Amino acid sequence: MKDTLDLPETITMKAVVKDAPARGFSIVTKTIDTNLHDHEVLVKVLSASFCGTDYHIYAYDDWARNRLKLPLTVGHELAGKIVKVGKRVTQVKVGDVISAETHIICGTCEFCLRGEGHICENTKIIGVDTDGCFASYVKLPEANCFVNNPDVDPKFLSVQEPLGNAVHTMAHFPIEGKDVVVLGCGPIGLMAVDVARAMGAKKVIAVEVNEYRGQMALSLGADAWINPAVENTTERVKALTGGRGADVIGEFSGNKRAIQEAFKYLKAGGGLSMLGIPSEPITIDVANDIVFKGIRIYGVVGRRIFETWHQVRALIDSGKLHLNQLITHQFPLSRINEAAEIMGRKECGKIVLIPEDL
Ligand SMILES: [Zn+2]
Ligand SMILES: [Zn+2]
């Protein structure tokens, strides 16, 4: 295939833009020029998915207010086809169906050089620090592209990035044959339930206050759903695990009290893998709950690049995941504000958005 299709100098497209310091997104018609940097590619977006981060941007909360420079084209989870490559691109080619690692890393800092690019000190995030993929076309660095199996439905491919968060969280400590708690069942926690099942956990216990999501966790194969609003989580986890507690906890809630309690039902020697982001500092009994229990704690940042992506692909290809169930809604991109409201009400698993051609 030649390295560029016949593209005009500029393309007119629809895009989802955060252009005002208030709640909501604007759907705009904008142009993107097709000139590329040497190591950049132009991607036609086939499918995108809605992330919790996008909801923060939609709602324009304190984090968004402090972080974003407006106007910004939003979105970072995608599957798309490469339609043009920069002069020195070697890793991908026109026609490849790719997804993107969201973290643009420097490749030269201490962490990148030792193979831990997920904690790169110069990380930029697509759709947060650079224009994103809620549009018909997006420009990406070639180094961020993960070439997909083109036979998989793009809507499944676009959710690999959050699925990577779930896999990174659940795969850090061995879970095969273990008793596992998934704490917080938003879209990524629900994926974690599915991942834990697929990876051979003995028992998967979902902890979630929202009825819709608790029921979804059960339908995805959780052995039990505990609602901490009405039940004693520690007692129930212990009852379900022979009195000792969970071997591994995947923390997706970011909830202060839920995190404090998790230390009580984590088994001695167990592993706590933390992805949820609390909005305030949390007091922990370090002596009794960490040191004397000999537990391990792992902070999860993004995905290991690209180790986690290969694990995700292997899981998708194994046929053991239930992505069709995890994706509960699909909208044309122009109806993203509806999608955001559903996300705000927590009445969803993953929401997929399909760009429309102009
Ligand atoms: Zn995301
Ligand atoms: Zn770096």
Side-chain angles (χ1 to χ4, degrees), residues 49-54 76-77 102 161-162 165 188 303 350:
S49 49
F50 196 96
C51 178
T53 303
D54 302 320
H76 57 272
E77 300 175 2
T102 303
E161 192 257 17
N165 290 136
I188 298 178
R303 297 140 298 278
K350 203 69 195 164

Side-chain angles (χ1 to χ4, degrees), residues 105-113 116-117 119-123:
I105 61 175
C106 73
T108 57
C109 74
E110 174 188 343
F111 307 101
C112 285
L113 290 175
E116 299 199 298
I119 49 171
C120 168
E121 61 192 10
N122 301 308
T123 300

Side-chain angles (χ1 to χ4, degrees), residues 16-30:
V16 175
V17 174
K18 187 75 179 179
D19 54 2
R23 189 179 179 87
F25 290 131
S26 302
I27 317 299
V28 303
T29 302
K30 67 179 258 187

Side-chain angles (χ1 to χ4, degrees), residues 54 58 97 114 127 206 231 263 315 353:
D54 302 320
Y58 173 82
V97 175
R114 70 182 194 206
E231 299 171 273
F263 286 90
L315 276 169
L353 302 156

Side-chain angles (χ1 to χ4, degrees), residues 61-139:
D61 61 10
D62 287 344
W63 170 83
R65 203 176 306 262
N66 291 323
R67 176 69 182 259
L68 303 178
K69 288 197 185 74
L70 309 186
L72 172 78
T73 301
V74 191
H76 57 272
E77 300 175 2
L78 82 149
K81 187 176 272 194
I82 294 182
V83 293
K84 185 177 180 184
V85 298
K87 274 203 289 292
R88 306 180 76 165
V89 167
T90 57
Q91 297 169 32
V92 291
K93 59 184 187 310
V94 169
D96 282 348
V97 175
I98 59 101
S99 290
E101 166 52 50
T102 303
H103 291 186
I104 300 172
I105 61 175
C106 73
T108 57
C109 74
E110 174 188 343
F111 307 101
C112 285
L113 290 175
R114 70 182 194 206
E116 299 199 298
H118 63 292
I119 49 171
C120 168
E121 61 192 10
N122 301 308
T123 300
K124 282 197 226 131
I125 301 181
I126 295 167
V128 172
D129 303 311
T130 69
D131 276 339
C133 67
F134 289 168
S136 303
Y137 293 86
V138 59
K139 291 179 184 178

